[in-house]
Amino acid sequence: SYVLTQPPSVSVAPGKTATIPCGGNNIGGKTVHWYQQKPGQAPVLVTYYESIESDRPSGIPERFSGSNSGNTATLTISRVEAGDEADYHCQVWDSNSDHVFGGGTKLTVL
Amino acid sequence: EVQLLESGGGLLQPGGSLRLSCVASGFRFSDDPMSWVRQAPGKGLEWVSAIGGRDANTHYADSVKGRFTISRDNSKNTLYLQINNLRVEDTALYYCARNQYSTTWYFASWGHGTLVTVSS
């Protein structure tokens, strides 16, 4: 089955750029979606792929973007705010494994 | 506004059964595939099962095949998950999610979840 690997935690200072990686075998050939989950809340979709470009649902700031190449997909959050502190989960759909999630990364804003 | 409201969770003993429900509103329920995703305490997200919109084709994670049954009643805008032969490792918050498709499938909207605890 397909496996996605995320670091347990990432820290960033306010106003800086956070990059959260998601590793998978040839993940650059797949479409990766990202979810934000704040403590005690349900996940929220923050980026998804439309055709070949990363896009965001309405209401999600432009500061959130996704990219994907080789064996690593990346969620980039620019100008990080205290309110961005949350767990972030990557997800792919694979024809053999159906839906697969990474283990999640806790983003800490210092 | 899309709303998904789960119910049916509780404290059960190993070997027991229960049925989870998810009532949907704010979109044409019959058009969209739906999924159940669970999250064990302190753990990540795990997709459990999905069902097509009109065709109602079903899919299951290997970890639950043979014990879980997903179904839907489009006339009631309701999604179900029947869980049999409960195991301690089924303890989790169970989310109902609406699937949408761009290049591949993703989870566009989520409910707040219903907690299932399996313990003797």
Side-chain angles (χ1 to χ4, degrees):
Chain A
S1 62
Y2 194 75
V3 176
L4 295 176
T5 302
Q6 296 183 243
S9 63
V10 167
S11 299
V12 64
K16 300 298 185 182
T17 297
T19 56
I20 300 175
C22 173
N25 185 33
N26 192 29
I27 196 173
K30 297 185 179 297
T31 303
V32 183
H33 312 294
W34 288 91
Y35 304 84
Q36 176 193 67
Q37 185 178 28
K38 295 183 178 179
Q41 298 185 20
V44 172
L45 178 71
V46 291
T47 72
Y48 66 101
Y49 259 77
E50 186 63 52
S51 186
I52 60 172
E53 292 184 342
S54 173
D55 203 351
R56 295 170 306 280
S58 60
I60 301 300
E62 290 184 9
R63 301 184 296 104
F64 289 81
S65 65
S67 61
N68 194 9
S69 178
N71 292 318
T72 304
T74 302
L75 175 69
T76 301
I77 310 173
S78 305
R79 303 180 301 282
V80 166
E81 303 172 356
D84 298 332
E85 191 160 280
D87 292 331
Y88 290 87
H89 307 270
C90 57
Q91 175 251 322
V92 301
W93 183 86
D94 176 81
S95 59
N96 294 319
S97 305
D98 275 307
H99 299 285
V100 180
F101 286 96
T105 296
K106 179 177 178 57
L107 177 67
T108 299
V109 181
L110 301 171
Chain B
E1 179 191 3
V2 172
Q3 290 194 338
L4 301 170
L5 183 61
E6 302 95 335
S7 62
L11 174 61
L12 296 102
Q13 292 188 335
S17 298
L18 83 165
R19 187 175 80 161
L20 307 182
S21 300
C22 170
V23 177
S25 61
F27 64 102
R28 193 186 297 270
F29 179 73
S30 58
D31 282 353
D32 289 337
M34 298 290 295
S35 285
W36 289 97
V37 178
R38 68 184 180 182
Q39 187 170 34
K43 302 296 184 182
L45 301 171
E46 179 190 15
W47 171 76
V48 169
S49 182
I51 186 168
R54 298 186 183 280
D55 60 17
N57 286 335
T58 58
H59 305 265
Y60 299 94
D62 287 344
S63 58
V64 305
K65 276 180 185 173
R67 296 190 303 118
F68 287 27
T69 302
I70 191 172
S71 62
R72 65 192 298 161
D73 185 338
N74 288 340
S75 69
K76 296 182 179 179
N77 284 1
T78 303
L79 176 72
Y80 302 102
L81 186 68
Q82 176 71 38
I83 306 177
N84 296 328
N85 191 19
L86 279 160
R87 302 171 179 170
V88 171
E89 55 264 34
D90 294 325
T91 294
L93 187 59
Y94 285 74
Y95 293 105
C96 161
R98 175 191 183 197
N99 288 109
Q100 296 225 283
Y101 186 87
S102 58
T103 307
T104 60
W105 292 103
Y106 60 93
F107 304 93
S109 306
W110 300 67
H112 289 285
T114 186
L115 182 63
V116 174
T117 303
V118 185
S119 175
S120 55

